[in-house]
Amino acid sequence: MSELQHQTWSRLNDLEYAPAPESRDIVSIRPNYGLFIDGQFTDPGSHQGFQTINPATEAPLATVALGSAADVSRAVISARRAYDQVWSQMPGKERAKYLFRIARLIQERSRELAVVETLDNGKPIRESRDVDVPLAAAHFFYYAGWADKLEHAGFGAQPRPLGVAGQIIPWNFPLLMAAWKLAPALAAGNTCVLKPAETTPLSALILAEILQQAEIPPGVVNIVTGDGSTGAALVSHPGVDKIAFTGSTEIGRRIQRELAPSGTHVTLELGGKGANIIFEDAPLDQAIEGIIDGIFFNQGHVCCAGSRLLVQESIADEVQRRLVRRIEQLRVGDPMDKNTDVGAINSAEQLSRIHELVDAGVAEGASRYSTTCTLPDKGFWFAPTVFTEVSQTHRIAREEIFGPVLSVLTFRTPEEAVAKANNTTYGLACGVWSEKGSRTLWVAERLRAGVIWSNTYNKFDPTSPFGGVRESGFGREGGRHGLEAYLNV
Amino acid sequence: MVSLPLRSQHAPEIGGADITFAPPARPSLLGSEAELRVALGGLSGVDAVGANARVAALGTRSLKQGTKRALLDLAISMIDLTTLEGMDTPGKVRSLCTKALRPDPSDPSVPHVAAVCVYPDLVEMARNFLGDAPVAVASVATAFPSGRASLNVKLADVREAVAAGANEIDMVIDRGAFLTGKLGLVYDEIVAVKEACGSAHLKVILETGELVTLDNVRRASWLSMLAGADFIKTSTGKVPVAATPPVVLVMLEAVRDFAEETGVVVGVKAAGGIRSAKDALKYLVLVNETAGSAWLTPDLYRFGASSLLNDLLMQRAKQRDGHYVRSDRFSGD
Amino acid sequence: MSSDRLDVRKTYKLLINGAFPRSESGRTYEVIAANGAFLGNVARASRKDLREAVVAARAAQPKWQAATAYNRGQVLYRMAEMIESRRDEFAFHVAQSEQHNDRDAQLIVSAAIDRVVWYAGWTDKIAQVLGGTNPVAGPFFNFSIPTPTGVIGVIAPQESSLLGFVSCVAPPLAAGNAVVVVSSTTRPIPSLLLGEVTATADVPGGVLNILSGEVAELGPVLAQHEDVDGVDLTGAGDLAPTLAADASGSIKRVFRATTADHDWAVDPGTRRLRAFVETSTVWHTVGQ
């Protein structure tokens, strides 16, 4: 450059980030877990057990009890007794204090919970530490405050709880989904039987320890681990007044059908195929980050993932170019490494589902780009992938992949963007990127989705209602609206 | 983005190692105010929330020990060691130059800094102190820091500094003109200053603390680059808000995009408010992840700072010796 | 009724897409009162009629949703005005259908008018009562608004032919839904009369579609139709569990009436308004 010679420095072609593994020492996972019923852990030896593994290494973490129909029944009976004798009789302000206690204890054990979550789920420690666990605590804090204010919630003067709530949660945000289910239910005065996902039971079992520490009355919360049969037993149990389910649309449909004769209350938070719409006047650098957050957050194991990218044709080439450049920067690997952006796929089963749909995408003629990162030998991994030249009839544009796979489609006008975004049986979430407020609101009004993120994506807050329309389910979690799912109003 | 009339067929691979530093011919100058407004107005906006979130996320990256050491040295070599006070004296400039050449006399492996940065009237003195050493003399000019003078005065300021031996000129843009939409005025002034610089390199100070919004930062960055800036620089250090990570992020995006569009590679200088080694390393991570590792050189990235140097030296010594060292081990200059 | 003149008997027709067709099947049935009196011939809607009604409702719904809440309120209020202006006719048919004396029938018509007025007043308050801003912990403006579910199928109550009918139909309309309603099988005439009234109450074609016929025939088609977003099974009786199961195929919102819900005289609260609205939450960044 100038006539001056700068001392030459070897150029760092690529900064090497240190593997910065979070320590496992903080958590002591027991070799065996029983069920948490009536305030106590049952003897693990008295149950059939199943292993839960670390999806990043396939190493076993613990043996967990497989709850039988009889176990579910005991849990429901315990919850009923606690409802009748304790929880429904307790003044709201006392219930509130239990919830505040739980929130505090989650904060105090946050590192431990984050590590357990990452070990059991495969998600990056950065996410479990910065998103899952803090939001879980925040959720309990938020609903704690409602417990003694229900008559001000807009559902009439004396809103009544429903009774015993059966709650079935997925594996993508195990602790957070437990918080989303338990906090409003307990605040509203219900007692609970929670069924964690088969592949991610551990954080809920730590939560059970927290419930003991909080000295929550026995039976108010029961946690029954197990597989699909355990969940089915809970759904069909006649002593349950309400089922809240988060998971696939297929199972949700089955649950709704099964509960139809009894008229048991039900709320469903199901699948999605969210459209992330990028207009030509979008704040482009942030939009690229939003696309990344939209589909690669939590390995794309997010029901509201922005899995369909809709780009205005005038900027489609530029967006695709930037996107490819950006996804090459993603750090895929050890979830316990604080620098990791994309962790492990939660299970072999999910990985094969992703493979199946990606293969279908290729076979149907879409153009596949997967990052060149090296993937670990053991464990379940899938490289961040972007499909271009996708058309709306492709399976990868219609079916929920639930993995780090993005389908890129284009549009020309706002109307076409809305039409394509709505051309799905789902309706959970969408993103809109534009610097033009009037157009953003015009689009937001027309999108059939329960959540619309404008110039951002995948943001969650306990005060903000979350849930879907159409085949993404019904009922809301979060906010004042979230109480309605647990009140007889 | 409005297509600018300056697309190059040979844009470098960003993030790759093979950037040509001999700049291609500058694109033809844009003509009217209107054209400038259209061109800059067509740049995509910046959502401040997203930009802040991005720098926050990158701020959590942790570096390998070896990388950290190399980066500390790199950061030292990127410093424009600066004194810009009314009370500057020959003695002050002499000690600054001494420090610039050998930041840590006890450790010859410590690199020299990139440049010393002084007022125009002290350029000659600085050049004399530095002798033939490969440390540049940078001079602020154009009625620094406010820029409130006639163009003739500004150009005279620049010419004198260059004549006195300045290798680099740090000019300020007319923020008043920019904020009143007189983009052509700002543009023409940069062009004139660039010409007055001759062979000296031109750093254009945007004074982002006065431009306030990130949209303005992006537009001013492009305006400066179109007008011929070799570097775009955040701040004078004389207003309350100086370099911030989101501002530097947006400027790094601008130089990256400009290089892609035009093939012209422009540097970035973050000046003011960067005092700790920890912050400096975060900025280098930002450079690496935004513009790419090609910018990790003093040719393309600088820190305008004074107290930062000692903290870098302390962290360097800590890395080397394995324990924390007292600040008095290094000179206060 | 004058004996020296043969009266002209009206066949009550369906209301589909703002028009009054006979059933495409050509079928009608006789409505006979509990005391055995012949009340009229009405069209007996077929599956195909129902399908047409859903198509009409789907097409009309976006415009109805996009109309201002003020405008929807005016339309519903106009409906109340029209009932009031023909209250004796309504009272006559309610008295016949439900076997009330004239005084009670008049009271029922009054209550039905007042119910429609109540919901007319709700149209521009739903968003304020059910929506709002959410104080999220971050630099975002976040608000929730209730949006209509879409096309709602209503199985109208079998007993309360007018008051029950409007109590089920008005709330989804007020919220911006389009409605396909199966009237009381045995007491359809007041609702069909109401359908005629809507033709002069500025209710846009397709927004309200009224079918008379058999619940057993039409209910399953309605509950299974994927383009129906929600069903109100108030009048489905013993069929409600089956229809609710049918509704699960496309994850429909299902409103199941409790015993208390069949007391049409009491203040209905917001339950029926909330049944067929979706909460849509919008996040937007806040920054310079």
Side-chain angles (χ1 to χ4, degrees):
Chain A
M1 59 185 274
S2 67
E3 69 273 23
L4 294 164
Q5 268 316 111
H6 280 289
Q7 194 170 332
T8 333
W9 292 92
S10 58
R11 183 164 315 137
L12 298 152
N13 278 324
D14 197 2
L15 286 188
E16 284 182 73
Y17 296 109
E22 176 64 81
S23 168
R24 267 190 74 158
D25 300 347
I26 187 152
V27 13
S28 53
I29 299 172
R30 304 183 210 169
N32 298 289
Y33 283 92
L35 307 172
F36 184 69
I37 295 176
D38 212 31
Q40 299 296 325
F41 280 98
T42 59
D43 174 12
S46 66
H47 304 281
Q48 191 189 333
F50 66 99
Q51 264 187 353
T52 184
I53 64 166
N54 178 348
T57 62
E58 298 175 57
L61 293 169
T63 299
V64 174
L66 197 153
S68 65
D71 295 324
V72 166
S73 198
R74 286 173 52 219
V76 172
I77 288 164
S78 161
R80 171 64 57 196
R81 189 167 54 234
Y83 177 76
D84 289 340
Q85 295 174 7
V86 185
W87 203 242
S88 66
Q89 310 296 317
M90 189 184 286
K93 71 181 171 74
E94 298 302 310
R95 286 203 311 273
K97 285 187 283 185
Y98 280 109
L99 293 181
F100 279 122
R101 267 193 190 177
I102 296 167
R104 260 289 180 265
L105 286 163
I106 290 174
Q107 287 180 321
E108 281 167 15
R109 296 181 68 171
S110 60
R111 271 189 66 200
E112 180 188 355
L113 284 163
V115 169
V116 165
E117 200 74 313
T118 285
L119 289 174
D120 205 16
N121 171 280
K123 65 174 64 201
I125 186 76
R126 188 164 57 85
E127 290 177 10
S128 50
R129 179 194 67 196
D130 296 346
V131 181
D132 295 65
V133 177
L135 274 178
H139 225 80
F140 276 102
F141 266 109
Y142 176 77
Y143 279 108
W146 269 123
D148 55 356
K149 301 169 190 68
L150 297 173
E151 67 273 28
H152 302 293
F155 300 112
Q158 280 185 316
R160 294 289 306 153
L162 295 171
V164 174
Q167 304 175 315
I168 301 169
I169 58 173
W171 47 260
N172 57 345
F173 297 91
L175 179 73
L176 184 59
M177 291 303 102
W180 279 24
K181 293 282 182 283
L182 293 173
L186 296 175
N190 303 273
T191 56
C192 302
V193 178
L194 179 79
K195 154 66 177 66
E198 182 181 356
T199 59
T200 55
L202 292 183
S203 57
L205 294 166
I206 306 279
L207 183 63
E209 294 174 6
I210 286 174
L211 297 169
Q212 286 182 320
Q213 276 179 287
E215 294 171 7
I216 196 159
V220 170
V221 177
N222 304 274
I223 298 176
V224 182
T225 52
D227 60 11
S229 69
T230 314
L234 184 56
V235 170
S236 61
H237 197 287
V240 172
D241 300 296
K242 150 90 190 194
I243 289 289
F245 170 76
T246 298
S248 71
T249 293
E250 183 199 345
I251 305 287
R253 184 177 283 133
R254 242 191 273 164
I255 290 173
Q256 187 182 358
R257 175 172 292 274
E258 185 174 341
L259 296 178
S262 64
T264 302
H265 295 270
V266 60
T267 45
L268 303 171
E269 205 270 85
L270 309 175
K273 192 74 191 176
N276 204 357
I277 304 171
I278 319 290
F279 285 103
E280 62 186 358
D281 63 354
L284 212 49
D285 287 295
Q286 288 72 48
I288 297 294
E289 294 306 316
I291 296 166
I292 298 287
D293 288 342
I295 188 61
F296 300 121
F297 174 61
N298 203 32
Q299 296 72 248
H301 300 329
V302 185
C303 46
C304 52
S307 52
R308 284 184 300 153
L309 181 66
L310 294 176
V311 193
Q312 198 153 15
E313 283 191 18
S314 53
I315 55 163
D317 289 346
E318 183 172 4
V319 166
Q320 287 176 20
R321 190 162 44 83
R322 285 168 177 251
L323 195 56
V324 166
R325 179 174 72 197
R326 181 65 181 83
I327 62 174
E328 281 294 347
Q329 289 177 282
L330 291 170
R331 285 161 195 285
V332 184
D334 182 7
M336 291 286 278
D337 183 341
K338 292 171 200 162
N339 285 326
T340 292
D341 296 316
V342 179
I345 302 303
N346 178 252
S347 65
E349 186 190 353
Q350 186 57 30
L351 183 59
S352 73
R353 161 92 181 149
I354 296 168
H355 276 297
E356 182 205 326
L357 278 163
V358 166
D359 291 347
V362 173
E364 287 176 324
S367 170
R368 172 184 174 174
Y369 181 88
S370 292
T371 60
T372 55
C373 61
T374 46
L375 299 175
D377 297 332
K378 291 219 88 176
F380 315 125
W381 302 93
F382 201 88
T385 295
V386 174
F387 274 105
T388 54
E389 292 159 58
V390 179
S391 78
Q392 290 199 90
T393 46
H394 288 157
R395 283 181 70 193
I396 51 170
R398 308 208 69 79
E399 296 181 33
E400 186 176 39
I401 300 173
F402 224 64
V405 180
L406 179 67
S407 299
V408 185
L409 297 99
T410 60
F411 67 89
R412 291 158 298 181
T413 64
E415 276 197 343
E416 190 181 353
V418 169
K420 283 188 168 170
N422 286 342
N423 185 210
T424 165
T425 55
Y426 294 116
L428 191 49
C430 284
V432 186
W433 295 80
S434 168
E435 289 280 279
K436 184 170 174 177
S438 59
R439 187 198 293 130
T440 295
L441 293 173
W442 185 91
V443 170
E445 265 183 5
R446 283 157 183 78
L447 288 174
R448 285 194 296 245
V451 182
I452 293 153
W453 285 293
S454 173
N455 288 4
T456 188
Y457 208 95
N458 270 342
K459 293 286 182 296
F460 308 93
D461 191 275
T463 68
S464 179
F466 182 93
V469 307
R470 312 177 92 206
E471 296 191 17
S472 289
F474 46 77
R476 290 293 175 268
E477 298 184 286
R480 184 189 70 84
H481 297 77
L483 290 170
E484 192 175 352
Y486 293 99
L487 290 171
N488 194 5
V489 289
Chain B
M1 187 181 294
V2 166
S3 169
L4 295 159
L6 33 79
R7 190 177 291 272
S8 158
Q9 296 300 311
H10 307 290
E13 279 293 314
I14 301 308
D18 54 353
I19 283 194
T20 313
F21 288 97
R26 288 271 168 187
S28 64
L29 301 185
L30 292 170
S32 65
E33 286 275 358
E35 267 183 303
L36 271 175
R37 197 163 301 132
V38 167
L40 299 180
L43 294 169
S44 93
V46 185
D47 190 282
V49 174
N52 291 338
R54 178 72 179 142
V55 296
L58 288 177
T60 65
R61 290 286 191 219
S62 71
L63 295 161
K64 230 177 183 141
Q65 287 305 315
T67 310
K68 199 180 270 183
R69 287 178 70 160
L71 283 185
L72 288 169
D73 277 4
L74 182 62
I76 292 170
S77 76
M78 288 172 160
I79 287 182
D80 284 2
L81 197 61
T82 303
T83 184
L84 294 169
E85 302 295 335
M87 60 195 279
D88 285 344
T89 58
K92 169 74 183 173
V93 173
R94 178 200 294 275
S95 50
L96 193 75
C97 291
T98 311
K99 178 105 175 174
L101 289 168
R102 295 188 70 188
D104 181 357
S106 72
D107 184 350
S109 71
V110 175
H112 61 75
V113 303
V116 295
C117 183
V118 294
Y119 271 114
D121 60 328
L122 297 171
V123 166
E124 192 173 356
M125 197 177 292
R127 188 68 271 167
N128 288 338
F129 286 137
L130 291 169
D132 299 333
V135 171
V137 175
S139 175
V140 295
T142 70
F144 182 93
S146 72
R148 298 254 66 86
S150 72
L151 181 59
N152 284 338
V153 171
K154 291 179 185 178
L155 293 178
D157 204 14
V158 171
R159 288 193 192 103
E160 279 189 24
V162 172
N167 312 98
E168 301 174 359
I169 294 295
D170 290 23
M171 73 169 284
V172 290
I173 64 165
D174 184 342
R175 284 87 75 192
F178 184 90
L179 291 171
T180 47
K182 293 173 187 150
L183 303 178
L185 196 64
V186 180
Y187 178 88
D188 291 344
E189 208 167 88
I190 298 171
V191 170
V193 171
K194 171 72 177 170
E195 202 205 333
C197 281
S199 64
H201 270 231
L202 175 62
K203 305 196 196 96
V204 177
I205 303 172
L206 311 180
E207 195 65 306
T208 54
E210 292 185 346
L211 301 184
V212 180
T213 69
L214 295 176
D215 289 324
N216 278 345
V217 171
R218 172 166 290 174
R219 287 189 201 108
S221 297
W222 277 79
L223 180 64
S224 305
M225 292 188 291
L226 288 169
D230 298 301
F231 261 76
I232 50 176
K233 173 177 168 184
T234 59
S235 321
T236 61
K238 300 296 184 190
V239 302
V241 179
T244 65
V247 159
V248 174
L249 171 76
V250 169
M251 290 168 68
L252 288 165
E253 288 165 355
V255 296
R256 176 198 67 197
D257 295 347
F258 192 76
E260 277 201 345
E261 289 276 331
T262 67
V264 178
V265 180
V266 174
V268 173
K269 177 172 170 183
I274 303 162
R275 294 189 182 84
S276 72
K278 193 175 167 194
D279 284 348
L281 295 190
K282 282 185 183 178
Y283 276 106
L284 294 183
V285 168
L286 203 56
V287 172
N288 182 59
E289 297 267 352
T290 309
S293 58
W295 266 262
L296 287 176
T297 153
D299 290 347
L300 289 174
Y301 192 79
R302 296 279 180 87
F303 290 110
S306 42
S307 60
L308 170 64
L309 180 54
N310 268 7
D311 199 53
L312 288 167
L313 293 172
M314 283 174 66
Q315 295 310 317
R316 194 180 186 281
K318 190 239 161 187
Q319 293 280 326
R320 187 189 56 207
D321 302 344
H323 58 82
Y324 292 100
V325 297
R326 64 162 65 98
S327 59
D328 281 339
R329 245 171 74 172
F330 306 104
S331 75
D333 294 329
Chain C
M1 228 44 70
S2 159
S3 58
D4 58 354
R5 180 182 173 275
L6 192 64
D7 56 342
V8 178
R9 286 183 178 171
K10 168 170 153 189
T11 298
Y12 289 87
K13 298 194 289 183
L14 311 174
L15 171 59
I16 298 174
N17 204 20
F20 298 92
R22 299 172 191 284
S23 168
E24 60 76 35
S25 64
R27 301 177 306 180
T28 60
Y29 67 101
E30 292 186 344
V31 179
I32 309 292
N35 66 359
F38 170 77
L39 301 183
N41 282 308
V42 301
R44 182 177 161 192
S46 67
R47 294 157 165 264
K48 209 171 158 194
D49 292 321
L50 188 134
R51 194 187 70 196
E52 291 303 311
V54 172
V55 168
R58 174 58 64 197
Q61 194 275 329
K63 269 194 171 172
W64 181 239
Q65 175 176 357
T68 62
Y70 178 64
N71 179 248
R72 285 202 302 274
Q74 298 241 309
V75 169
L76 286 178
Y77 184 74
R78 180 69 183 158
M79 191 190 281
E81 284 181 337
M82 297 306 296
I83 303 172
E84 183 81 59
S85 73
R86 293 165 72 171
R87 63 173 303 133
D88 289 343
E89 191 181 354
F90 275 103
F92 171 77
H93 288 291
V94 167
Q96 282 210 318
S97 295
E98 301 181 18
Q99 302 284 289
H100 291 299
N101 63 35
D102 185 53
R103 194 182 132 272
D104 287 351
Q106 287 283 354
L107 287 174
I108 287 171
V109 173
S110 295
I113 295 165
D114 291 355
R115 180 82 16 107
V116 176
V117 170
W118 197 69
Y119 282 114
W122 260 113
T123 57
D124 49 8
K125 302 173 187 69
I126 297 170
Q128 290 177 311
V129 171
L130 302 185
T133 60
N134 308 304
V136 296
F140 302 97
F141 182 61
N142 176 301
F143 60 94
S144 293
I145 42 172
T147 59
T149 297
V151 173
I152 306 304
V154 177
I155 309 291
Q158 298 300 318
E159 299 78 26
S160 185
S161 62
L162 182 67
L163 177 56
F165 182 89
V166 298
S167 297
C168 292
V169 166
L173 287 178
N177 298 285
V179 171
V180 174
V181 51
V182 178
S183 297
S184 164
T185 307
T186 54
R187 301 172 176 181
I189 291 176
S191 70
L192 296 170
L193 185 60
L194 184 78
E196 293 172 15
V197 159
T198 65
T200 46
D202 310 323
V203 178
V207 167
L208 174 60
N209 303 276
I210 303 175
L211 307 174
S212 45
E214 294 286 339
V215 174
E217 182 184 6
L218 301 175
V221 185
L222 195 60
Q224 289 168 17
H225 198 307
E226 287 190 3
D227 219 15
V228 172
D229 301 300
V231 284
D232 172 350
L233 302 179
T234 300
D238 296 343
L239 286 173
T242 322
L243 297 184
D246 287 343
S248 67
S250 57
I251 322 283
K252 283 182 183 54
R253 287 83 182 110
V254 179
F255 183 90
R256 302 275 288 270
T258 62
T259 316
D261 286 323
H262 283 276
D263 183 354
W264 303 106
V266 300
D267 174 355
T270 59
R271 195 163 119 84
R272 287 179 175 275
L273 280 170
R274 285 185 276 116
F276 298 114
V277 295
E278 310 291 326
T279 298
S280 183
T281 298
V282 181
W283 296 64
H284 199 298
T285 51
V286 176
Q288 291 191 58

